[in-house]
Amino acid sequence: MPIKQASLSFSQKTALSGVLTALALGLSYLEHFIPLDQLIFVPGIKLGLANLVTVFALYYLGEGLAFCILICRCLMQAALFGTPSSLLFSISGGVLALSGMWLIFRGYPKYFSLIGVCVGGAALHHCGQILCAALYFRSIWVVSYLPVLLLLSIPTGCLTGGISVALFKKFRKIFPERKHLTERFKSL
Amino acid sequence: MKLFSYLKKGDFFLFLFVLLLAGAIFLFLFRPDTEKKDCVIMKNNAIIKTVSLSDGSSQEFTVTGDYTLTVEIQGERVRVKESDCPNKVCVASGWIANPGQTILCAPNQVIIQIISNQEGEVDGVAY
């Protein structure tokens, strides 16, 4: 059975995308204040709160707008508080993560829960980032960060996945008239 | 626990895959027994040059003395390409690649030897 796409009008989608982009930008700025990398001593580790928005967009607006939101967020993040190299890393990680989550979500929604999707996304985000960094620095030793990051992607992915589950449940309650939107992942 | 009943079969496979991938990368990068081979060129019992054979590069250089030798290093193997010494035993020795193997040039008093940071496959070599 084909999954029914959310029936929002074009302008509704545009407005929602803009709001979500701003939210993602805010969340990724919020992450700066959580000193996770001083707690675990792994440079570059973060909770991936912006991934919440990506997952939400993927489920509610479809993959096309999710990609747009992701790219916009990365560009603005780099322009506001980043560097060209950080743009490279966040885009490569984000695109790989979203592609993976889209594949899992589209291909095998029966076998994976939302938490699984988020963990896969987090792991792929780190893979993309590290691969890009390895090419950028032309050094294979950057990859030695990857095992630690992959291990940590399970708890952080579970966290964002759990938040997403709660979020989607609330969304179902707040907007009962839009129940058809949530049909597509009711089995999750 | 509520979380575990929520997770599906694929999730556990995914977790396992991520853990295995992390372990595999860790083992691949930090495997302790990386063999390092060096080519040591000695003249009159003094080391005049040491070349690493592990980086896979190729080069050629000459060793001067009473006679002139041209040593060629190609990846992991070494030979004396040319020599103007009388008997040319060194050229006839051909390529050497295994730790412990040597090329001698007696007229020029040059010894080319491959050494390793590990014990070789053979206990010793007799000539």
Side-chain angles (χ1 to χ4, degrees):
Chain A
M1 196 185 93
I3 302 161
K4 204 180 167 194
Q5 200 70 36
S7 58
L8 289 166
S9 75
F10 180 75
S11 40
Q12 273 176 314
K13 274 187 179 179
T14 313
L16 192 53
S17 303
V19 170
L20 285 177
T21 308
L23 181 64
L25 204 56
L27 283 175
S28 55
Y29 185 60
L30 190 71
E31 274 180 348
H32 284 257
F33 297 112
I34 303 170
L36 201 64
D37 49 351
Q38 283 164 25
L39 216 71
I40 324 181
F41 299 112
V42 182
I45 186 74
K46 39 180 197 169
L47 285 175
L49 291 177
N51 197 37
L52 286 174
V53 174
T54 311
V55 172
F56 185 86
L58 178 66
Y59 277 43
Y60 275 81
L61 296 168
E63 58 281 353
L65 278 173
F67 267 107
C68 291
I69 290 170
L70 175 78
I71 301 290
C72 282
R73 193 253 296 172
C74 287
L75 285 173
M76 288 162 86
Q77 196 183 347
L80 286 174
F81 26 78
T83 55
S85 62
S86 75
L87 170 73
L88 216 61
F89 300 155
S90 62
I91 279 202
S92 59
V95 167
L96 198 67
L98 183 52
S99 314
M101 291 194 293
W102 176 53
L103 272 180
I104 294 176
F105 169 59
R106 265 293 147 101
Y108 312 96
K110 258 187 201 169
Y111 304 109
F112 292 98
S113 72
L114 196 49
I115 292 177
V117 170
C118 281
V119 171
L124 279 170
H125 186 276
H126 290 313
C127 287
Q129 220 168 18
I130 287 293
L131 278 178
C132 191
L135 289 176
Y136 183 79
F137 294 116
R138 293 184 198 285
S139 157
I140 190 78
W141 289 102
V142 184
V143 182
S144 57
Y145 278 132
L146 195 52
V148 192
L149 289 176
L150 280 178
L151 285 182
L152 288 170
S153 74
I154 293 180
T156 55
C158 281
L159 183 77
T160 51
I163 297 173
S164 298
V165 172
L167 191 75
F168 284 18
K169 272 182 186 161
K170 274 273 185 268
F171 199 75
R172 239 175 266 182
K173 274 180 193 163
I174 295 169
F175 302 101
E177 75 274 15
R178 284 191 186 163
K179 235 172 189 159
H180 63 278
L181 288 183
T182 56
E183 286 295 312
R184 54 195 289 195
F185 49 87
K186 204 163 207 175
S187 63
L188 300 168
Chain B
M1 226 174 119
K2 204 183 170 190
L3 180 74
F4 283 105
S5 59
Y6 180 81
L7 289 172
K8 292 183 182 179
K9 211 187 280 175
D11 296 342
F12 292 107
F13 280 110
L14 191 82
F15 292 174
L16 201 66
F17 179 73
V18 171
L19 285 175
L20 284 177
L21 191 66
I25 293 167
F26 184 81
L27 285 180
F28 178 75
L29 282 175
F30 297 100
R31 62 188 188 282
D33 52 344
T34 42
E35 190 178 17
K36 269 191 171 161
K37 285 196 284 186
D38 285 327
C39 171
V40 176
I41 292 135
M42 292 193 287
K43 188 174 164 62
N44 298 328
N45 282 329
I47 294 172
I48 56 165
K49 197 175 171 76
T50 306
V51 183
S52 172
L53 295 182
S54 301
D55 54 2
S57 61
S58 296
Q59 56 172 301
E60 237 180 79
F61 53 87
T62 53
V63 179
T64 49
D66 297 339
Y67 304 98
T68 306
L69 299 178
T70 307
V71 180
E72 186 185 6
I73 293 174
Q74 198 183 75
E76 290 196 355
R77 52 184 201 162
V78 185
R79 71 165 175 176
V80 176
K81 196 182 177 187
E82 277 175 48
S83 170
D84 52 6
C85 60
N87 50 13
K88 298 212 179 2
V89 170
C90 48
V91 180
S93 302
W95 293 103
I96 58 167
N98 294 319
Q101 281 187 308
T102 48
I103 298 175
L104 289 173
C105 183
N108 215 8
Q109 295 191 320
V110 168
I111 302 172
I112 299 167
Q113 190 168 24
I114 296 180
I115 57 164
S116 165
N117 63 344
Q118 283 185 354
E119 289 192 19
E121 292 164 16
V122 289
D123 295 332
V125 182
Y127 294 100

